[in-house]
Amino acid sequence: MSHKRMPRRKAAMAVGGVAALGAAAFLLPHASASQDAGQDGRTPGGTGTGTGTARTLRATDAPGLDARLRKLLGDAFAGSYYDSGRQQLVVNVVSGDDNVIVQAKKAGAVVRQVANSAAELRSATRTLRTRAAIPGTSWAVDPRTDKILVTADSTVTGAAWDRLRSAVRGLGPGMATLKKSAGTFKTFASGGDAIFSQAQGGSVRCSLGFNVTAADGSPAFLTAGHCGVAAEKWSDTQTGEPIATVDRATFPGEGDFSLVKYDDPGTPAPSEVDAGDGRTVPINGAAEATVGQAVFRMGSTTGLHDGRVTGLDATVNFQSETDPGGVDTVTGLIQTDVCAEPGDSGGPLFTQDGGALGLTSGGSGDCTGGGETFFQPVTTALRATGATLGGGAGGAGGGEDDQAGAGDQSGSGSDSGSDSGSGDEAGAVDDGSSALTGTR
C-alpha cells in the first residue's frame, strides 16, 4: 500500500507507476437512495416545509452551506444532514423569525421545523455523560429524528442496562432513543498499511492513516491514539526495525489520534491512500464529515469498505484495557455504518474525491455481520498537532497549497447526528465524485 513510508528507491515508482483513480475507472456496485424524506419534504421527527428553492449539491459542498446556515439561523439552528438521494442539505429549525427561515430556504437548504433545539440536545448529552458513562455505550445527536440516539452493546446487561434505561427516560419524552447493538464496542488494534510494534503485552498491529508534515517540517503520519499509547516505536514490517516514533498520542478523552514521526527526515511520504489492486486515491485536503455522506475506509486487516456517516460529535465509552472496572471515554468522533475489525485501527476514512475525513478508532461488529464504527476527525487531529497533510521534507506527492496551516484545514461540518443503523442505509452511494468499489 503506497501511502506508507517508502524507501527512496521506491518513491519514484510510487509516484509515477501506480495507477491513480480515474473518474470512470471503477463503478460502485450498488447505490441506495436516501429514505429520510418523503415526496413532500417531510422527515421523521419534524414538520417538513417542502423543498422550496432547495438546490442540489455534492456531499463535499454540504459543510459550507451548513456553516452559512449556522450563522444565519443562530439559536434557531437545530442541526442538519445530507440527503444523498436528493443531493440536498436538510436543516432543522426551532421556532424563530419566519424571515430568517425564508432566507435559509433561499440559501439552498430544505428547511424543516423540529421540537428540540441544539442547545437542549447538547444539554441532554452532558447529562448522559454524568449519569450513563457505562462501558459499552455511545450516544450522538441524530438530526434525522431530532433526538439523541443512545446505543448499548451486548455487554450492557442487568444493573448496567437498568441504569442506562433510567438515564435515557430521565431526559424526558421525545429527547432520546435507546437501541441495542449485537456486537461489543472495542478499539480495533490487534495485538490503509499495517504498522507493527512490540508492547508490554506482546505485538501490536494498527493501520497507517494519512501521511503529514509535522509542525517542524519533518515527515510523519497520523494513526489512532490508542495505538500510540500502546507502543512508542513502529515498523512497517512485522519483524523489521522501527522506522517511526510516536511524537504525541491522545487517548482516551477528547479524541483518539497519534502523530508519529519518521526517524529518517528524508523519508518520502506520499499524500495518497492505497485502495488495493493497484489503485490509489490522491489526498488533496482535510474535510469535515456530513451526516448522510458516502465514505470509504481502508484498513490493514479488512481492506477497502464503504458506507455512510451516521453521526458527528459522538461519545463512546470503551471498556478500559488497563483498569478492569474502568471506562475509556472518547468524545468528538465521527460515527458510521462502515465495518472494521482488529488491526484496522488508525486507518483512513476518506471520500471518493480525496478528502481526508478520519482515523479508525473503534466500534462493534465485524465485516461479516456489520456494526457501528467510530473515527477520529482528521481536522481535529491536525489542529491539535500542528501538522499538515502531505509529505514531509523528503516527501513525494505532498499536500496542496491550501494545506499551508493546520488552522486552515478545519471547516464547519453539519451538526452532530446519528442514523439508526438500519438496513435502508446499506450500500455505497456515488455522490458525484470519482468512483471506487467498496465492500460492506
Side-chain angles (χ1 to χ4, degrees):
M1 294 171 62
S2 59
H3 66 299
K4 68 177 181 180
R5 170 264 189 189
M6 290 177 294
R8 297 188 186 194
R9 64 180 180 274
K10 295 183 180 179
M13 294 175 59
V15 175
V18 179
L21 287 172
F26 302 95
L27 297 177
L28 290 164
H30 42 261
S32 61
S34 170
Q35 299 183 24
D36 303 313
Q39 294 300 316
D40 61 355
R42 295 178 181 272
T43 52
T47 301
T49 61
T51 57
T53 57
R55 62 185 178 89
T56 59
L57 71 163
R58 288 170 46 159
T60 51
D61 297 324
L65 178 57
D66 173 271
R68 290 174 54 198
L69 292 170
R70 286 172 182 267
K71 294 180 180 179
L72 182 66
L73 293 171
D75 292 340
F77 180 86
S80 71
Y81 63 92
Y82 181 68
D83 183 334
S84 59
R86 296 174 181 239
Q87 294 186 303
Q88 295 172 335
L89 185 72
V90 180
V91 60
N92 295 337
V93 297
V94 291
S95 298
D97 186 343
D98 289 341
N99 183 54
V100 173
I101 295 175
V102 169
Q103 291 182 53
K105 294 176 68 175
K106 288 182 178 180
V110 176
V111 181
R112 68 169 190 165
Q113 295 184 1
V114 296
N116 298 319
S117 70
E120 290 171 330
L121 292 170
R122 283 195 299 268
S123 176
T125 61
R126 289 193 292 269
T127 299
L128 288 172
R129 178 70 184 271
T130 301
R131 300 180 181 176
I134 301 167
T137 62
S138 71
W139 52 79
V141 177
D142 182 353
R144 301 171 192 265
T145 62
D146 189 44
K147 296 180 182 180
I148 300 167
L149 176 64
V150 182
T151 304
D153 74 12
S154 59
T155 67
V156 182
T157 58
W161 171 256
D162 292 340
R163 175 184 164 192
L164 179 63
R165 186 168 55 180
S166 175
V168 170
R169 288 176 175 173
L171 297 176
M175 287 297 295
T177 301
L178 177 61
K179 78 163 191 172
K180 269 285 207 178
S181 174
T184 301
F185 288 148
K186 56 184 179 295
T187 54
F188 285 133
S190 65
D193 285 356
I195 52 176
F196 304 88
S197 188
Q198 297 297 318
Q200 185 174 3
S203 62
V204 180
R205 177 169 60 85
C206 288
S207 297
L208 188 151
F210 299 98
N211 279 319
V212 297
T213 300
D216 62 2
S218 60
F221 63 84
L222 294 174
T223 190
H226 62 269
C227 297
V229 169
E232 180 184 13
K233 298 285 187 178
W234 290 86
S235 173
D236 56 355
T237 62
Q238 190 165 7
T239 58
E241 292 297 317
I243 54 93
T245 304
V246 174
D247 180 74
R248 173 174 176 172
T250 297
F251 178 87
E254 297 181 1
D256 184 4
F257 59 90
S258 293
L259 176 69
V260 187
K261 291 184 177 179
Y262 291 109
D263 296 334
D264 179 358
T267 299
S271 187
E272 58 189 27
V273 170
D274 182 346
D277 298 327
R279 301 169 295 172
T280 60
V281 179
I283 297 301
N284 51 46
E288 298 286 356
T290 303
V291 173
Q293 182 179 18
V295 291
F296 289 85
R297 176 199 60 76
M298 192 68 186
S300 63
T301 299
T302 58
L304 182 69
H305 287 268
D306 64 275
R308 296 185 188 231
V309 175
T310 59
L312 302 178
D313 197 24
T315 295
V316 186
N317 299 294
F318 297 111
Q319 174 67 57
S320 174
E321 296 184 4
T322 57
D323 178 4
V327 57
D328 287 337
T329 299
V330 184
T331 61
L333 301 181
I334 301 168
Q335 183 171 341
T336 78
D337 61 6
V338 187
C339 71
E341 295 182 8
D344 289 330
S345 279
L349 180 74
F350 58 97
T351 63
Q352 295 183 35
D353 58 356
L357 296 179
L359 309 165
T360 306
S361 175
S364 68
D366 53 35
C367 288
T368 299
E372 301 87 7
T373 303
F374 301 89
F375 297 83
Q376 164 66 49
V378 167
T379 51
T380 304
L382 292 172
R383 285 195 298 268
T385 61
T388 54
L389 283 170
E400 299 295 321
D401 292 340
D402 62 0
Q403 301 299 322
D408 297 331
Q409 301 182 43
S410 57
S412 295
S414 58
D415 196 50
S416 60
S418 172
D419 189 17
S420 63
S422 58
D424 63 347
E425 291 297 325
V429 176
D430 188 348
D431 64 359
S433 54
S434 59
L436 274 171
T437 299
T439 56
R440 297 299 296 278

